[in-house]
């Protein structure tokens, strides 16, 4: 059974704003990164998964349940959710809040308090659990959000920008906690973020969207394998040389400092590059292979999608 599947999922807001545009994909259980720039449609997608928003058209199944606002309460019994923005009551303690939400989920009073203590220990707040949340740091508040999302033992955890507002050390700690949560509890996690460098630290599968459209859904290995680039620097007319490589069927584009970048696929471009340089009388100053960043691949995919 897939974790979720969508068919032509579309969401348009009043005023003609399209947040999701014909999104079709199928995901298997695991730790999944939902990546895209701010405004790409990530939060809208999560809210539709939760049954908080109705799609304009198309369908979505999560955990083999057809998602709609009508059956949202039944679906949310199996989902944990961390919203992007600060939404915690400042005058409550972490233990009271998480216990209350466990009770709302149906746990008896004693079991709810025990479960809340267990989750606050998991996120590293056990010793601080009786302090009012208003006195917590941003990182501590994010941990409270994670504890409340886990307290009812969900099958799927939805995290919307979970490192938002954290300093580098706090982001590292939160990403490690997300990784451990997925592995130790054996639950699936969808992490929505615009920070691709963070996503690739915890996820095994990536879904990239832009402007509500699906750019790509593939394993992390597939993404990083496709970002292997050949970097070429020449003595001579680099623009003309790049144009010649394109006519030879190579996906050559301009890189930083006038370099030429070629995404390496199954075939090797080295012979074609050498022969083209000899033909044009261009000197090859540098021909080096490097693994590029996911950010660069995302930018190239997005540019291609809008072409």
């Amino acid at each position: 059974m897939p974790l979720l599947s969508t068919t032509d999922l579309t969401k348009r807001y009043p005023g003609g704003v399209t947040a999701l545009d014909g999104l079709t994909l199928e995901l298997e259980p695991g730790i999944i990164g939902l990546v895209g720039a701010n405004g790409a449609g990530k939060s809208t997608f999560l809210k539709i998964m939760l049954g908080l928003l109705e799609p304009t058209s198309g369908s979505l199944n999560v955990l083999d349940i057809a998602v709609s606002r009508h059956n949202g309460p039944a679906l949310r019994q199996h989902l944990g959710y961390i919203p992007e923005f600060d939404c915690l009551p400042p005058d409550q303690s972490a233990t009271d809040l998480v216990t209350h939400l466990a009770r709302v989920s149906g746990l008896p009073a004693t079991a709810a308090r025990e479960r809340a203590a267990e989750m606050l220990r998991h996120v590293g707040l056990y010793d601080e659990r009786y302090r009012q949340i208003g006195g917590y740091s941003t990182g501590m508040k994010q941990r409270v959000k994670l504890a409340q999302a886990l307290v009812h033992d969900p099958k799927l955890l939805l995290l919307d920008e979970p490192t938002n507002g954290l300093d580098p050390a706090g982001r590292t700690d939160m990403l490690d906690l997300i990784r451990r949560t997925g592995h130790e509890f054996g639950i699936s996690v969808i992490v929505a973020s615009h920070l691709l460098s963070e996503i690739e630290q915890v996820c095994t599968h990536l879904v990239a969207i832009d402007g509500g459209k699906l750019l790509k859904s593939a394993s992390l290995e597939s993404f990083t394998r496709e970002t292997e680039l050949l970097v070429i620097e020449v003595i001579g007319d680099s623009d003309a040389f790049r144009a010649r490589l394109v006519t030879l069927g190579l996906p050559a584009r301009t890189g930083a400092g006038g370099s030429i970048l070629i995404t390496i696929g199954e075939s090797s471009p080295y012979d074609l590059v050498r022969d083209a340089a000899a033909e044009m009388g261009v000197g090859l100053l540098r021909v080096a292979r490097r693994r590029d960043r996911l950010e660069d691949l995302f930018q190239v995919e997005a540019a291609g999608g809008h072409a």
Side-chain angles (χ1 to χ4, degrees), residues 69-145:
R69 293 190 69 177
H70 174 72
N71 61 10
L75 175 65
R76 287 192 289 274
Q77 293 180 10
H78 307 292
L79 304 179
Y81 175 52
I82 293 183
E84 177 180 3
F85 301 106
D86 186 9
C87 57
L88 302 175
D91 56 350
Q92 278 195 295
S93 68
T95 191
D96 285 343
L97 174 65
V98 179
T99 299
H100 170 71
L101 292 174
R103 293 291 309 278
V104 170
S105 299
L107 290 178
T110 301
R113 189 162 291 274
E114 291 175 352
R115 179 71 177 174
E118 180 185 348
M119 291 302 98
L120 289 168
R121 186 188 300 278
H122 172 69
V123 300
L125 290 178
Y126 186 79
D127 292 338
E128 307 287 343
R129 66 191 186 280
Y130 294 118
R131 284 179 54 189
Q132 286 192 338
I133 294 172
Y136 280 3
S137 67
T138 300
M140 295 169 73
K141 290 177 181 178
Q142 291 297 89
R143 290 169 181 265
V144 174
K145 288 183 186 180

Side-chain angles (χ1 to χ4, degrees), residues 54 86 128 149 190 204 281:
E54 287 277 9
D86 186 9
E128 307 287 343
I190 295 179
T204 57

Side-chain angles (χ1 to χ4, degrees), residues 205-253:
H205 189 98
L206 298 182
V207 176
I209 62 175
D210 183 62
K213 292 181 178 292
L214 178 67
L215 294 180
K216 186 170 184 176
S217 174
S219 67
L220 175 63
E221 179 184 359
S222 173
F223 268 85
T224 55
R225 183 174 64 247
E226 292 193 20
T227 59
E228 292 181 349
L229 295 183
L230 190 65
V231 183
I232 304 169
E233 295 178 2
V234 302
I235 301 172
D237 190 338
S238 62
D239 288 337
F241 186 60
R242 179 187 56 79
R244 176 56 180 154
L245 295 177
V246 171
T247 65
L248 294 173
L250 296 177
R253 63 186 189 275

